[in-house]
Amino acid sequence: DVQWADAPSARALAFALRRLVDEPLTIIAAKRTSSGVLDPLDLAGSLRDGVERLTIGPIAPVPLGRLLRRRLDRDFAPPLVRRIHEASGGNPFFALEIGRALRGEDALLNPGEPLPVPSDLRELLRRRLTALPRFARDALLLVASSAHPTVPLVEGIEGGSAGLAEAENAGIVVVSGTAIEFTHPLFASTVYETASARDRRTAHAALAKVVKDPEERARHLALCATGPSEEVARALEEAGEHAVAR
């Protein structure tokens, strides 16, 4: 996912990589190969020698059928697996989302009948998210709005515990220890982009009350503000002092 690295992080990492000489380190990076996607780390220029490229192609129909059966607990007929394979281009993540949509439709397609899924993946993800109960979507918005989402952070907000459990059961997020991660970055962006401005402000206001880090608190206060605010101004000043000290 290095194509999603922000510019300052990419520059910092590239700076460090260019200075590796004799250190016994191996760097593994995964990047999309579609047109127009550049390598923000410039691994070829930073490491020069010793760069090995492995191209991961699309998954084949037979293993895709096994993946669908194992992850979705349902047998898909071979002709339907082939159609899902064609529609997804062999991308396992896209194929699983199409499979979930088919399972939701409980559809037995007739020959030649189009797959009952939209062509746009974001719309497909949006449909899956809107099928969740409101308290689960609220918990997901807290996770998407937080710079470092954790279980104690989300559970510290009313309704967060039940919503987080529901979202995890639906396969939208995974909890590792206390850390919370979306199973795919597109879920995070879809959750945040489809939320109303009012819901975003509510989420940031709730997070501002429970986060401890002054820099993150200032960010949440700024994002829930609707106009000039002395409280936000003071928080930003404190966050600046904290950043300078750090």
Side-chain angles (χ1 to χ4, degrees):
D1 292 343
V2 296
Q3 69 273 357
W4 285 318
D6 60 273
S9 297
R11 286 196 297 270
L13 288 168
F15 179 89
L17 292 175
R18 286 194 299 271
R19 281 149 184 80
L20 296 178
V21 180
D22 299 319
E23 292 80 357
L25 297 176
T26 298
I27 295 94
I28 300 176
K31 180 179 72 69
R32 287 183 177 180
T33 56
S34 55
S35 61
V37 176
L38 304 176
D39 178 6
L41 304 184
D42 187 25
L43 290 174
S46 300
L47 299 178
R48 296 181 180 84
D49 300 328
V51 176
E52 182 178 0
R53 291 179 175 85
L54 300 176
T55 301
I56 309 299
I59 189 172
V62 172
L64 177 61
R66 293 196 295 266
L67 176 68
L68 291 167
R69 182 170 59 253
R70 185 173 67 249
R71 293 289 295 275
L72 302 181
D73 194 27
R74 172 188 167 184
D75 282 321
F76 292 81
L80 183 54
V81 171
R82 287 195 294 271
R83 294 184 61 188
I84 295 174
H85 181 267
E86 293 172 0
S88 66
N91 183 308
F93 176 71
F94 295 175
L96 283 169
E97 291 307 311
I98 293 174
R100 286 190 177 95
L102 283 167
R103 184 175 60 173
E105 296 278 350
D106 197 24
L108 292 175
L109 298 180
N110 296 317
E113 185 179 351
L115 292 172
V117 294
S119 58
D120 179 66
L121 179 63
R122 285 187 181 274
E123 175 63 16
L124 181 61
L125 299 183
R126 188 193 65 78
R127 288 189 183 183
R128 185 175 169 200
L129 291 168
T130 53
L132 294 172
R134 177 59 191 251
F135 66 92
R137 298 200 303 271
D138 289 343
L140 286 172
L141 183 55
L142 292 173
V143 177
S145 302
S146 175
H148 305 287
T150 64
V151 173
L153 184 68
V154 175
E155 291 185 343
I157 298 171
E158 184 179 357
S161 180
L164 180 60
E166 183 75 20
E168 186 177 18
N169 290 336
I172 308 297
V173 296
V174 59
V175 176
S176 178
T178 61
I180 307 171
E181 292 183 354
F182 283 94
T183 53
H184 194 280
L186 279 178
F187 275 129
S189 59
T190 303
V191 166
Y192 197 82
E193 289 172 5
T194 56
S196 67
R198 180 178 179 180
D199 286 343
R200 292 183 198 175
R201 289 195 299 270
T202 300
H204 286 295
L207 289 166
K209 295 178 180 178
V210 295
V211 296
K212 304 299 182 184
D213 182 78
E215 295 173 46
E216 186 171 359
R217 178 176 178 272
R219 171 178 171 269
H220 290 305
L221 284 174
L223 289 172
C224 72
T226 57
S229 165
E230 291 186 7
E231 180 188 10
V232 175
R234 285 195 300 271
L236 288 170
E237 187 174 2
E238 292 171 1
E241 293 171 354
H242 183 267
V244 169
R246 177 166 54 80

